[in-house]
Amino acid sequence: MQHVIDLLPDQGIGYGSNRQHDVAPCSLERGCLPEHILCSTMSFLRTAVNDSVIIHPPGFYIIGFQTFPYVGIYFIFLAFVYVVTVLFNSLVICIIVFNHSLHTSKFLAVVNLAVIDVILNTCTIPGMIKIFLAKDNFIPFNLCLVQMYVYYSFVSLESYALAILAYDRLIAICFPLHQNSINTVKSMSCLVSLTWTFALGVTAFTTGIMTQLSFCNSLQVFSYFCDYAPVFRLACNDYSLHWFAASFLTVLLLGGPFTFIILSYVTILVQVFRMKSLDSRVKALATCVEHLILVAVFYLPLFTIFVIGFYLHLIDPDQRVLSLSLASCLPPCINPIVYSLKTKEIKTRALTLIRKNKIVTANF
């Protein structure tokens, strides 16, 4: 039987360590111990007890931007990205929800993507800005697991949401006469619900097994949030299961949907080149351009960073953290601008809403 020791903040380190910023140092007068003393205590506990005891620290330090120059400018940019993400995706959600004519399978997939975008950036950007403004890079252990769970759940859902949009294009172009009978609101609702259930369930398992790790050495997470691999590498017991889970689920949750998208567009291209009219070919392909941009913006940076950074080790660690943060934060901001708001139906209603607000403002 395994026993778990959870070190509380008042048993070890306080919030506001001076590891990243020379402010709010931890001291005995404040009722807490510096990080190096806490790590020594945890290491002593690990050697004093048997291997069946699991040691959980009070929390971790996020140090991904510790040596990054002009970090203030970058966080201002992230704040702008977050505001744009929330405003434009909220606009898309409101337009679709309050217009019954848009309650179709296609726009159910669009609103699904918008909701995922808002939650995904809300999970990471406010935390990064807090580190800069409050000069506090400490995150409690349980909150670390929550952030890890939410982030990877919604990165997976983002991947599946793009695959669902590819499925919508596949049905619309390859089966135009049967589109309304195949791609119904009910079938799309089932598909969206299935992806949410699968992504949330699988991520719950991978996050849950993190509680089986003991942390008795460094507490510094070299990333921009409580990242899965940088955290489990800090463990002082065997983490081979976590490494396998991370590798397997990367293929399943990112590679699987991406493969489906590629196969969908191969099928679409075959169907398009069978069309006799050049005008029909151009119109069919034109409906796919925005979605292909979303796919490129989301997948290409992630795959490039994983291959070059993690496997070939050709990227400096600081550059990898910066690139990965941009690769995960920019797509939710770009999606509504490139895809959702350029959709004819949403664009028309958005312009109508703006005109009405101008008229009301002018009357006042």
Side-chain angles (χ1 to χ4, degrees):
M1 180 181 293
Q2 290 184 323
H3 302 278
V4 178
I5 297 178
D6 289 302
L7 296 179
L8 301 176
D10 58 359
Q11 292 175 295
I13 198 160
Y15 301 175
S17 165
N18 61 343
R19 299 291 294 185
Q20 180 172 353
H21 305 281
D22 295 328
V23 295
C26 202
S27 64
L28 295 174
E29 290 77 8
R30 294 179 60 218
C32 57
L33 299 174
E35 182 192 359
H36 68 279
I37 297 179
L38 175 59
C39 289
S40 300
T41 303
M42 293 166 63
S43 182
F44 170 76
L45 282 172
R46 183 64 182 171
T47 56
V49 299
N50 56 47
D51 290 337
S52 65
V53 176
I54 296 172
I55 303 169
H56 291 168
F60 300 97
Y61 293 96
I62 309 300
I63 62 165
F65 294 108
Q66 188 174 13
T67 59
F68 182 65
Y70 310 111
V71 67
I73 297 174
Y74 182 63
F75 283 125
I76 292 172
F77 170 72
L78 285 181
F80 171 76
V81 167
Y82 183 65
V83 170
V84 171
T85 300
V86 173
L87 287 180
F88 282 89
N89 281 293
S90 298
L91 177 62
V92 171
I93 294 169
C94 289
I95 289 174
I96 294 175
V97 169
F98 293 109
N99 286 271
H100 292 285
S101 60
L102 298 182
H103 291 183
T104 62
S105 58
K106 174 185 176 180
F107 290 105
L108 177 58
V110 171
V111 80
N112 175 57
L113 179 64
V115 170
I116 292 167
D117 285 340
V118 172
I119 298 175
L120 181 56
N121 269 3
T122 299
C123 169
T124 54
I125 294 181
M128 287 190 279
I129 295 174
K130 186 216 71 168
I131 291 174
F132 174 69
L133 294 179
K135 302 186 184 303
D136 180 5
N137 62 333
F138 181 80
I139 181 169
F141 182 78
N142 289 333
L143 186 58
C144 172
L145 295 185
V146 170
Q147 186 185 45
M148 186 186 298
Y149 173 71
V150 174
Y151 175 81
Y152 280 102
S153 292
F154 283 88
V155 164
S156 304
L157 285 170
E158 180 95 1
S159 181
Y160 279 107
L162 293 175
I164 290 173
L165 290 172
Y167 165 78
D168 177 77
R169 289 294 82 216
L170 176 69
I171 299 299
I173 295 174
C174 297
F175 307 98
L177 299 178
H178 302 285
Q179 180 182 3
N180 294 332
S181 59
I182 298 175
N183 198 12
T184 63
V185 174
K186 184 178 179 180
S187 65
M188 182 61 73
S189 300
C190 291
L191 188 58
V192 170
S193 300
L194 184 64
T195 59
W196 276 68
T197 302
F198 180 73
L200 295 178
V202 168
T203 312
F205 168 75
T206 55
T207 307
I209 60 177
M210 292 293 287
T211 59
Q212 301 302 308
L213 294 177
S214 272
F215 299 90
C216 51
N217 295 309
S218 175
L219 299 175
Q220 297 183 338
V221 179
F222 196 79
S223 185
Y224 61 99
F225 75 107
C226 232
D227 205 350
Y228 194 78
V231 170
F232 75 62
R233 288 194 184 109
L234 299 177
C236 47
N237 57 345
D238 181 37
Y239 54 76
S240 56
L241 173 63
H242 305 75
W243 177 260
F244 172 78
S247 302
F248 178 73
L249 292 176
T250 298
V251 174
L252 184 64
L253 300 175
L254 292 179
F258 182 71
T259 302
F260 175 80
I261 292 170
I262 295 298
L263 293 176
S264 296
Y265 277 103
V266 169
T267 307
I268 287 171
L269 284 175
V270 171
Q271 181 65 26
V272 166
F273 284 114
R274 285 179 179 175
M275 296 177 181
K276 296 179 180 180
S277 170
L278 179 61
D279 187 53
S280 299
R281 294 179 184 178
V282 172
K283 286 182 178 179
L285 291 175
T287 62
C288 302
V289 172
E290 289 85 0
H291 179 253
L292 286 172
I293 293 173
L294 300 193
V295 170
V297 168
F298 179 74
Y299 285 106
L300 291 184
L302 288 179
F303 287 154
T304 302
I305 293 166
F306 276 116
V307 171
I308 297 178
F310 285 102
Y311 296 105
L312 301 180
H313 303 289
L314 298 178
I315 298 181
D316 179 81
D318 290 325
Q319 294 177 349
R320 182 186 62 81
V321 171
L322 175 64
S323 302
L324 199 56
S325 66
L326 285 173
S328 63
C329 293
L330 285 181
C333 172
I334 295 172
N335 289 349
I337 299 171
V338 172
Y339 186 81
S340 303
L341 292 174
K342 290 192 72 175
T343 306
K344 182 180 178 181
E345 295 86 347
I346 295 180
K347 185 177 181 180
T348 301
R349 283 161 179 79
L351 292 174
T352 303
L353 186 62
I354 293 172
R355 291 193 194 99
K356 285 182 178 179
N357 287 335
K358 285 184 178 180
I359 292 172
V360 171
T361 304
N363 290 335
F364 281 101

